[in-house]
């Protein structure tokens, strides 16, 4: 059953836009557990999925939620969960499982203050690094981060596209303010946004290898019950999915996992770049913080300060090459984030020696306002 | 040429990944292989095709079972088999979903998923292989290790008392609860078959021997000696009903312990989806 919305223009929350984006992308399974400030996503899915012929289930915890969506995705159903910091921590082991078993799933983390129970109803961007390094073992993450309600819709669709294209778990990082903020959005018509589906095998059963090393390194994926009986395990495995202790096979598998994302990173990189060509100082921020940063940059321009903005929409893989190029002629970069300094270390890593890096952080549960950022621009320009 | 004696005499042969995965990881004399045979014979008797069966497990000795079987097989993270299986079953209810777990995997780290799957009454058959110890990690205490028994992490005797998985499953809301042993193989075949036949959550406890750790640490002897103990201590539930309580001391009940009809979760969800489709047509 298709997903239908009666009116194309709607006033909705970021969390609601996420629900509609997921359904637009073809998500038909949601396993979740209530947690502030993400719960509206589960509630929306509970209401709409059965109407689209899909399934919603409230699991007993976030570990089970993550497990259930991996199980569902293996049957060929696009699947998602949504949570916040504490739940995201509980999901990490199974996110690693989805990564090594190459199962496409989408995890939305509506960020709140941490660590631990932290600030359940307040904003933070402190899970930026958890999205990158949360699970144990070597891991390549794909993470998108919208900055408006419209983008919550679009980036949920993209998150599914990346998951299906690369056969890997994809995280979408939003935050408490974006999740609950209401904006008018125009729901795209069917066909307006690209929707990617995983590649399916077209070979006879006996030729099928569930983890075949192909030229793109992504293997066609049969669904359980399709007649291709295969084994899935979190142990390091060979191309048929059977556990292996052979160093050559282990290395081949680990290289496949890494390179299928690293070599094709350009396909997922999304950068919003404003007024950087002539800029002496560039503000680097994502998500809700980037909205205030944009305002601050405009305030600086009014004062004849040559400021610009770089907003990563895809945070991971980090856009190293693009940033090296963009920052080549910039003297200062100001990294603005709602944590005690996380992405600043990435910028320090990639910024040329000619470009000095400064930071502005806030971690008291409040948003950074444009004036604060503008003042910091004046200090460091 | 002589026929392969294994192939001609054993129905399980057709269902195993004989050329790919053997020999297996289990100790000689381990009961888990016996349970694997029972599961396969029960599936064969049900007439399921290999393609429609999903065999899901967690981590541990018993959870290594699916890799040897030629079905859709899913070896997941420790304790989470039932949660993964719930996603598989609900997203594709036409699949016959069977979970293989152990006493540590299913009742300690996975205890929460176990009771909630019982409560939901989702159509999954869970075979819980209970050998009263963690085998793969080297003989540590499990949630079914009896009080005063010895284990690698209970060198002075277990101060805790063990779970009874069958009363737990019944109390949590399962439709079908049974217990068998790896000594009583024909009975175990029937009990798993009964579980597969049940629409709803079915839990079959398969009592098994870990002579390598439990038997050695508790002086119960080798595999054969432990099987003899099962023979002596198992009491069919029907026979137990007519015996005085003093004759039941030290015994454990085997057979179908609980069997009721209740609405099944996936069917209830399908009814909801159908109701929206009917509204659409109007």
């Amino acid at each position: 059953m298709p997903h239908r919305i009666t009116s194309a223009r709607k006033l909705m929350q970021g969390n609601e836009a996420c629900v509609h984006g997921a359904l637009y992308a073809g998500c038909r399974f949601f396993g979740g557990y209530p947690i502030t400030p993400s719960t509206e996503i589960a509630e929306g899915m509970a209401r709409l999925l059965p109407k689209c012929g899909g399934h919603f289930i409230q699991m007993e915890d976030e570990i089970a939620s993550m497990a259930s969506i991996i199980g569902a995705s293996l049957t060929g159903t696009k699947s998602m969960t949504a949570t916040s910091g504490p739940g995201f921590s509980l999901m990490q082991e199974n996110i690693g499982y989805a990564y090594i078993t190459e199962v496409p799933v989408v995890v939305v983390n509506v960020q709140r203050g941490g660590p631990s129970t932290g600030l359940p109803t307040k904003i933070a961007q402190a899970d930026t690094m958890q999205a990158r390094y949360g699970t144990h073992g070597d891991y390549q993450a794909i993470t998108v981060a919208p900055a408006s309600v419209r983008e919550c819709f679009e980036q949920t669709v993209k998150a599914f596209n990346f998951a299906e294209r690369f056969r890997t778990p994809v995280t979408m990082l939003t935050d408490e303010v974006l999740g609950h903020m209401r904006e008018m959005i125009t729901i795209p018509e069917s066909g307006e946004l690209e929707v990617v589906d995983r590649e399916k095998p077209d070979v006879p059963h006996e030729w099928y290898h569930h983890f075949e090393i192909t030229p793109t390194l992504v293997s066609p994926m049969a669904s359980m019950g399709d007649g291709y009986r295969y084994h899935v395990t979190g142990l390091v495995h060979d191309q048929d999915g059977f556990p292996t202790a052979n160093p050559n096979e282990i290395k081949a598998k680990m290289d496949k996992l890494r390179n299928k994302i690293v070599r094709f990173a350009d396909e997922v990189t999304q950068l919003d770049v404003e007024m950087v060509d002539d800029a002496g100082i560039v503000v680097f921020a994502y998500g809700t913080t980037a909205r205030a940063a944009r305002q601050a940059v405009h305030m600086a321009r009014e004062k004849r300060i040559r400021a610009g903005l770089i907003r990563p929409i895809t945070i991971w893989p980090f856009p190293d090459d693009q940033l090296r190029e963009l920052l080549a002629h910039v003297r200062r970069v100001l990294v603005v984030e709602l944590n005690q300094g996380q992405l600043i270390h990435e910028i320090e890593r990639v910024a040329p020696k000619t470009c000095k890096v400064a930071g502005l952080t806030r971690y008291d549960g409040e948003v950074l306002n444009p004036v604060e950022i503008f003042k910091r621009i004046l200090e460091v320009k | 040429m002589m026929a392969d004696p294994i192939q001609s005499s054993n129905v399980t042969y057709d269902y195993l990944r004989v050329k790919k995965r053997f020999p297996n990881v289990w100790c000689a004399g381990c009961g888990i292989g016996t349970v694997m045979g029972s599961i396969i014979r029960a599936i064969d008797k049900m007439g399921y095709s290999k393609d429609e069966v999903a065999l899901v497990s967690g981590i541990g000795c018993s959870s290594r079972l699916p890799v040897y079987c030629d079905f859709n097989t899913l070896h997941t993270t420790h304790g989470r088999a039932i949660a993964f299986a719930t996603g598989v079953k609900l997203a594709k209810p036409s699949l016959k979903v069977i979970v293989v777990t152990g006493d540590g995997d299913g009742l300690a780290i996975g205890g929460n998923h176990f009771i909630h799957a019982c409560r939901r009454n989702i159509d999954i058959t869970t075979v819980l292989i209970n050998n009263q110890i963690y085998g793969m990690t080297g003989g540590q205490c499990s949630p079914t290790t009896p009080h005063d028994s010895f284990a690698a992490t209970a060198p002075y005797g277990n101060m805790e008392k063990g779970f009874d998985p069958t009363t737990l499953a019944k109390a949590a809301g399962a439709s079908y609860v049974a217990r068998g042993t790896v000594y009583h193989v024909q009975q175990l075949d029937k009990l798993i078959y009964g579980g597969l036949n049940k629409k709803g959550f079915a839990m079959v406890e398969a009592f098994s021997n870990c002579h390598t750790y439990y038997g050695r640490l508790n002086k119960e002897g080798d595999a054969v000696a432990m099987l003899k103990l099962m023979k002596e201590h198992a009491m069919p539930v029907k026979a137990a009903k007519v015996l005085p309580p003093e004759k039941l001391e030290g015994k454990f009940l085997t057979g179908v312990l609980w069997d009721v009809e209740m609405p099944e979760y996936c069917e209830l969800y399908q009814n909801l989806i159908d109701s929206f489709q009917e509204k659409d047509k109007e």
Side-chain angles (χ1 to χ4, degrees):
Chain A
M1 259 185 285
H3 165 238
R4 279 174 306 193
I5 299 171
T6 44
S7 152
R9 257 182 91 65
K10 286 233 166 200
L11 179 70
M12 62 169 73
Q13 285 186 331
N15 282 345
E16 288 174 273
C18 189
V19 170
H20 291 291
L23 296 173
Y24 185 95
C27 172
R28 291 297 177 269
F29 187 94
F30 184 99
Y33 186 82
I35 184 167
T36 304
S38 77
T39 311
E40 293 83 2
I41 300 176
E43 289 171 357
M45 283 301 202
R47 204 171 58 247
L48 295 176
L49 268 175
K51 292 184 178 179
C52 308
H55 293 90
F56 165 88
I57 186 167
Q58 182 172 322
M59 294 301 286
E60 50 274 14
D61 56 34
E62 286 91 344
I63 300 171
S65 304
M66 193 63 215
S68 73
I69 66 168
I70 298 170
S73 184
L74 280 164
T75 70
T77 312
K78 288 187 182 178
S79 305
M80 180 172 99
T81 190
T83 187
S84 189
F88 195 49
S89 293
L90 288 176
M91 289 173 183
Q92 291 301 334
E93 185 193 6
N94 282 338
I95 289 176
Y97 182 88
Y99 177 71
I100 199 171
T101 57
E102 306 188 50
V103 177
V105 286
V106 171
V107 181
V108 180
N109 176 0
V110 186
Q111 294 177 96
R112 65 191 226 186
S116 188
T117 313
L119 301 162
T121 60
K122 291 193 174 257
I123 187 174
Q125 294 180 309
D127 299 344
T128 314
M129 283 298 167
Q130 196 187 4
R132 174 64 187 87
Y133 290 111
T135 197
H136 60 278
D138 279 321
Y139 172 64
Q140 294 298 325
I142 298 179
T143 302
V144 295
S148 67
V149 172
R150 163 83 193 187
E151 268 192 6
C152 281
F153 185 102
E154 290 169 351
Q155 290 303 317
T156 306
V157 177
K158 287 260 183 177
F160 273 100
N161 289 352
F162 294 158
E164 297 282 317
R165 157 71 181 83
F166 290 98
R167 262 187 76 174
T168 197
V170 172
T171 303
M172 183 162 97
L173 285 181
T174 70
D175 58 61
E176 187 278 327
V177 169
L178 190 53
H180 290 154
M181 181 172 65
R182 285 186 163 79
E183 288 181 318
M184 284 298 287
I185 74 162
T186 306
I187 301 282
E189 297 278 330
S190 172
E192 198 177 322
L193 299 184
E194 186 193 20
V195 169
V196 177
D197 294 319
R198 68 192 68 169
E199 193 187 343
K200 296 239 177 178
D202 53 6
V203 295
H205 169 234
E206 57 277 15
W207 293 359
Y208 179 65
H209 308 287
H210 190 60
F211 298 98
E212 185 175 2
I213 296 176
T214 62
T216 63
L217 302 173
V218 178
S219 328
M221 182 171 174
S223 306
M224 279 190 172
D226 276 0
Y228 297 90
R229 293 184 304 276
Y230 52 83
H231 185 62
V232 177
T233 175
L235 292 163
V236 175
H237 42 261
D238 62 19
Q239 294 191 45
D240 285 316
F242 293 121
T244 180
N246 176 328
N248 293 330
E249 286 180 345
I250 294 168
K251 186 164 185 305
K253 172 74 189 184
M254 295 305 292
D255 285 344
K256 173 187 197 281
L257 287 173
R258 181 179 187 278
N259 293 335
K260 76 173 178 180
I261 294 171
V262 170
R263 281 196 197 152
F264 300 87
D266 286 353
E267 282 186 43
V268 301
T269 297
Q270 306 174 89
L271 278 175
D272 180 9
V273 180
E274 286 181 39
M275 297 180 284
V276 170
D277 287 346
D278 67 335
I281 179 164
V282 160
V283 181
F284 184 84
Y286 82 87
T288 296
T289 309
R291 298 167 72 101
R294 176 183 289 121
Q295 187 72 29
V297 165
H298 285 280
M299 288 162 77
R301 284 277 169 176
E302 279 170 23
K303 300 278 181 201
R304 296 181 179 276
I305 297 163
R306 285 184 290 116
L309 175 76
I310 300 177
R311 176 174 74 94
I313 305 171
T314 302
I315 309 178
W316 309 116
F318 201 69
D320 290 13
D321 296 341
Q322 290 85 351
L323 286 174
R324 280 192 186 109
E325 203 171 301
L326 285 165
L327 297 176
H329 305 292
V330 174
R331 285 187 302 111
R332 293 274 189 280
V333 58
L334 175 62
V335 184
V336 185
E337 47 189 336
L338 296 175
N339 51 51
Q340 293 185 326
Q342 297 191 8
L343 277 182
I344 192 169
H345 301 300
E346 293 296 304
I347 291 291
E348 280 169 346
R349 185 174 59 77
V350 301
K353 281 177 187 159
T354 50
C355 177
K356 287 204 170 154
V357 181
L360 174 61
T361 62
R362 188 162 185 174
Y363 38 86
D364 60 356
E366 300 294 320
V367 291
L368 275 160
N369 66 49
V371 176
E372 286 171 273
I373 301 172
F374 173 63
K375 282 181 181 165
R376 186 73 178 139
I377 291 173
L378 293 180
E379 278 170 23
V380 302
K381 74 175 167 62
Chain B
M1 213 173 102
M2 260 176 63
D4 181 336
I6 303 169
Q7 196 168 13
S8 55
S9 66
N10 196 341
V11 63
T12 56
Y13 191 89
D14 291 337
Y15 291 87
L16 296 175
R17 289 169 170 153
V18 181
K19 285 179 187 155
K20 285 180 184 157
R21 298 314 310 162
F22 284 79
N24 61 49
V25 297
W26 300 312
C27 305
C30 178
I32 298 170
T34 308
V35 181
M36 181 161 76
S38 285
I39 291 172
I40 288 173
R41 285 186 293 273
I43 288 170
D44 185 69
K45 199 174 168 195
M46 288 299 293
Y48 294 158
S49 80
K50 291 177 183 177
D51 288 330
E52 64 179 336
V53 175
L55 198 54
V56 187
S57 69
I59 295 291
C61 291
S62 28
S63 293
R64 283 300 181 98
L65 189 154
V67 75
Y68 306 114
C69 301
D70 189 15
F71 303 113
N72 302 285
T73 52
L74 181 56
H75 176 225
T76 70
T77 46
H78 196 20
R80 318 302 172 200
I82 292 175
F84 277 84
T86 300
V88 173
K89 182 67 191 179
L90 186 57
K92 199 163 190 172
S94 60
L95 287 172
K96 315 293 181 192
V97 181
I98 303 164
V99 168
V100 184
T101 182
D103 41 308
D105 188 62
L107 298 175
I109 189 166
N112 200 27
H113 312 307
F114 181 84
I115 56 174
H116 285 279
C118 293
R119 176 178 66 81
R120 261 179 217 120
N121 197 36
I122 187 165
D123 189 21
I124 292 171
T125 301
T126 293
V127 179
L128 189 144
I129 303 174
N130 179 7
N131 60 9
Q132 304 184 301
I133 206 149
Y134 283 82
M136 189 157 277
T137 47
Q140 296 80 17
C141 235
S142 94
T144 59
T145 304
H147 181 67
D148 279 345
S149 286
F150 293 93
T153 47
Y156 311 111
N158 183 17
M159 279 172 257
E160 303 172 14
K161 54 189 192 303
F163 262 140
D164 175 352
T166 59
T167 49
L168 184 66
K170 182 185 164 190
S175 288
Y176 177 96
V177 178
R179 182 192 285 124
T181 84
V182 293
Y183 175 81
H184 307 83
V185 181
Q186 284 171 322
Q187 182 198 36
L188 187 59
D189 289 9
K190 281 180 197 157
L191 295 175
I192 296 172
Y193 175 74
L196 294 177
N197 238 332
K198 190 76 201 178
K199 196 86 191 161
F201 192 83
M203 198 286 290
V204 180
E205 178 189 350
F207 196 80
S208 184
N209 57 294
C210 178
H211 47 284
T212 304
Y213 292 109
Y214 191 85
R216 186 164 54 81
L217 292 166
N218 291 285
K219 302 196 165 40
E220 286 193 0
D222 62 6
V224 175
M226 289 187 81
L227 285 171
K228 276 184 185 159
L229 283 174
M230 284 179 215
K231 182 189 176 191
E232 286 159 15
H233 290 94
M235 172 66 72
V237 64
K238 279 180 193 158
K241 276 182 187 154
V242 295
L243 286 174
E246 61 268 21
K247 293 241 174 183
L248 297 176
E249 220 159 277
K251 306 273 187 188
F252 61 86
L253 298 179
T254 59
V256 179
L257 307 177
W258 181 249
D259 186 1
V260 289
E261 295 299 326
M262 282 188 285
E264 193 273 324
Y265 183 79
C266 296
E267 278 189 350
L268 291 174
Y269 208 103
Q270 192 54 48
N271 292 343
L272 175 67
I273 292 173
D274 292 345
S275 74
F276 285 121
Q277 268 173 342
E278 273 159 32
K279 270 185 204 160
D280 269 11
K281 279 178 198 159
E282 289 162 13

